[in-house]
Amino acid sequence: MNLRLVKACKEYEKEIVEMLDKWFSLESNITPYAIRRIDYKDFNYYCENLDVKDASSGFVPDSTFFCLDIDRGIMVGAVNIRHYLNEKLLLNGGHIGDGILPGERGKGYGTMMISLALLECKKLGIDNVLMVCDKDNIASAKTIIKNGGILENEIVVDGTVEQRYWIKL
């Protein structure tokens, strides 16, 4: 498996748009939220505004990457890294939000993508990474655990049990 995290840019417009078109045709509640926060149909605007640069918008600064399967020449998922945690993200959200395109799930992409995202966290100076997932999302929990995640606790948010994992880098 030959994967790389890439930023949204003209070079990858075709691959990103194809992935998002396919994903939106299959699901509406795509994660990470960051990739659906802005309409990608105006791709230049999307690239310029995908990352949150300051906290004035109510969001913390973040970096969004798309996961390129180099061998196949397709995007298989996306990951969003929050540069720091506010009170809400500390409770439920964490540093990393991620998602794999339906049809590409269960192939090991999620585990590898998180591993690559953890390298990006390290570059940002984040040494303890919080990842959160729904308790019933077994696949997500497994990818977090495979990357060193240690379950701290479970909390209930809006009637859903959330698991909070810490990964020490």
Side-chain angles (χ1 to χ4, degrees), residues 39-147:
D39 184 5
Y40 65 96
K41 297 296 184 181
D42 180 346
F43 197 74
N44 288 331
Y45 181 84
Y46 186 75
C47 292
E48 292 168 13
N49 295 281
L50 188 58
D51 290 347
V52 174
K53 294 168 184 66
D54 63 59
S56 63
S57 64
F59 294 100
V60 302
D62 66 9
S63 299
T64 300
F65 299 90
F66 292 86
C67 187
L68 174 65
D69 180 329
I70 296 167
D71 297 330
R72 296 170 58 202
I74 64 167
M75 297 296 173
V76 295
V79 63
N80 175 257
I81 301 169
R82 274 77 77 166
H83 297 184
Y84 60 83
L85 301 178
N86 59 19
E87 192 173 318
K88 182 180 179 204
L89 290 171
L90 181 60
L91 177 67
N92 177 39
H95 287 98
I96 299 175
D98 65 295
I100 298 294
L101 179 68
E104 301 299 334
R105 295 175 184 160
K107 298 177 182 178
Y109 288 120
T111 300
M112 179 68 106
M113 185 173 67
I114 290 172
S115 176
L116 294 171
L118 292 171
L119 295 174
E120 296 296 329
C121 288
K122 191 75 169 163
K123 291 178 191 175
L124 290 167
I126 305 168
D127 295 322
N128 289 305
V129 176
L130 176 64
M131 291 193 70
V132 178
C133 67
D134 291 356
K135 183 175 183 169
D136 65 358
N137 189 342
I138 307 295
S140 187
K142 284 181 179 179
T143 63
I144 295 168
I145 292 166
K146 286 179 183 176
N147 278 287

